[in-house]
């Protein structure tokens, strides 16, 4: 069973990290979104924090802006349950467009 939940976040910048795959030796890149997240807490009130969010490849072309982010739970190799970003929907007047940021279709040779 899954409950649909969206979270408001503001992407203010991106950080690119170059790496070399341990498995293949090929170079690669990770894109981290620098985000401002606002949350409410009954004890502390409104909290504003800055953090990094790993961008999945299908969302790499996402511009800076405000979004409603959709996440799904996943289990890593270390058996830790984490949230994985699956979709971003533009939010508010600073949104880059009126449509959701959609994954690019993979075009593979037949």
């Amino acid at each position: 069973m899954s409950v649909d939940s969206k979270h408001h976040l503001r992407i203010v910048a991106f950080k690119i990290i170059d790496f070399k795959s341990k498995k293949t030796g090929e170079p690669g890149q990770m894109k981290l979104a620098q985000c401002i997240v606002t949350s409410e807490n009954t004890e502390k009130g409104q909290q504003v924090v800055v953090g990094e969010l790993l961008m999945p490849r299908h969302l790499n072309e996402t511009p800076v802006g405000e979004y409603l982010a959709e996440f799904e739970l996943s289990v890593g190799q270390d058996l830790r349950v984490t949230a994985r970003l699956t979709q971003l929907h533009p939010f508010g007047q600073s949104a880059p467009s009126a449509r959701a940021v959609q994954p690019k279709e993979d075009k593979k040779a037949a």
Side-chain angles (χ1 to χ4, degrees):
M1 180 174 151
S2 177
V3 177
D4 184 28
S5 181
K6 294 181 178 70
H7 303 275
H8 179 250
L9 60 89
R10 178 181 297 161
I11 298 174
V12 295
F14 293 97
K15 179 169 57 171
I16 307 294
I17 298 176
D18 295 316
F19 67 91
K20 184 184 277 191
S21 170
K22 291 179 183 177
K23 191 174 187 178
T24 65
E26 295 292 319
Q29 287 187 333
M30 287 189 333
K31 188 173 186 179
L32 298 172
Q34 308 294 302
C35 300
I36 297 172
V37 178
T38 306
S39 62
E40 290 289 330
N41 183 310
T42 55
E43 294 176 12
K44 298 179 182 178
Q46 187 180 47
Q47 300 290 301
V48 178
V49 293
V50 177
E52 294 180 333
L53 178 62
L54 178 62
M55 296 296 289
R57 287 189 182 123
H58 73 274
L59 295 175
N60 268 349
E61 300 302 317
T62 301
V64 167
E66 288 189 59
Y67 297 92
L68 287 178
E70 290 184 41
F71 295 88
E72 72 179 13
L73 294 179
S74 62
V75 178
Q77 291 179 344
D78 58 359
L79 300 180
R80 296 201 183 241
V81 177
T82 61
R84 186 175 71 85
L85 178 64
T86 59
Q87 198 63 258
L88 289 172
H89 303 278
F91 179 84
Q93 293 183 0
S94 66
S97 72
R99 63 179 179 77
V101 178
Q102 296 294 328
K104 292 183 177 180
E105 291 185 26
D106 290 332
K107 295 181 180 178
K108 295 181 181 177

